[in-house]
């Protein structure tokens, strides 16, 4: 006759061993999604600011456009994080807009923050 062992706590032990790995994986997916989203917003803000600089030829308006075009960033993008070169746009020159942003990570497992950079170049005058 075969004896049956009591396995009433086996599922709880297996669950306790697997849960930390699953939580780490979940936090990694969440952090990657946040970083990817912020990078897309920073790049889009730089692209829109370069377009405004190439057409309007006003650096202040270009910087304001970059700040307004990234509303989902927390903390918000500031004018000090947007660089426009050259300061004046003439025909047949390139307007370069660089947006730098430091994204704070939620979990802190992969560091406290990640620096992100968006850069766009457009020919002045259309």
């Amino acid at each position: 006759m075969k004896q049956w062992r009591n396995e009433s706590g086996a599922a709880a032990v297996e669950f306790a061993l697997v849960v930390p790995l699953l939580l780490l994986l979940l936090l990694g997916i969440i952090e990657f999604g946040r970083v990817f989203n912020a990078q897309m917003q920073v790049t889009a803000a730089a692209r829109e600011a370069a377009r405004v600089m190439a057409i309007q030829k006003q650096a202040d308006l270009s910087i304001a456009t970059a700040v307004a075009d990234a509303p989902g960033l927390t903390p918000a993008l500031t004018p000090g994080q947007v660089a426009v070169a050259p300061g004046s746009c003439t025909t047949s020159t390139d307007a370069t807009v660089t947006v730098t942003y430091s994204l704070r990570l939620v979990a802190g497992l992969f560091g406290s923050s990640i620096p992100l950079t968006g850069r766009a170049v457009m020919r002045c005058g259309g």
Side-chain angles (χ1 to χ4, degrees), residues 30-96:
I30 291 170
E31 291 290 15
F32 177 78
R34 288 186 66 242
V35 170
F36 187 72
N37 184 32
Q39 179 64 50
M40 287 177 45
Q41 287 188 37
V42 166
T43 302
R47 188 179 322 116
E48 188 65 21
R51 186 187 70 79
V52 168
M53 183 64 181
I55 294 171
Q56 304 274 335
K57 299 180 176 131
Q58 296 177 9
D60 293 339
L61 182 60
S62 176
I63 292 170
T65 300
V67 171
D69 200 50
L73 295 177
T74 305
L77 193 64
T78 62
Q81 296 170 315
V82 181
V84 178
S88 63
C89 205
T90 59
T91 306
S92 75
T93 61
D94 289 339
T96 303

Side-chain angles (χ1 to χ4, degrees), residues 95-106:
T96 303
V97 177
T98 305
V99 178
T100 56
Y101 184 76
S102 181
L103 178 68
R104 284 185 261 158
L105 298 178
V106 175

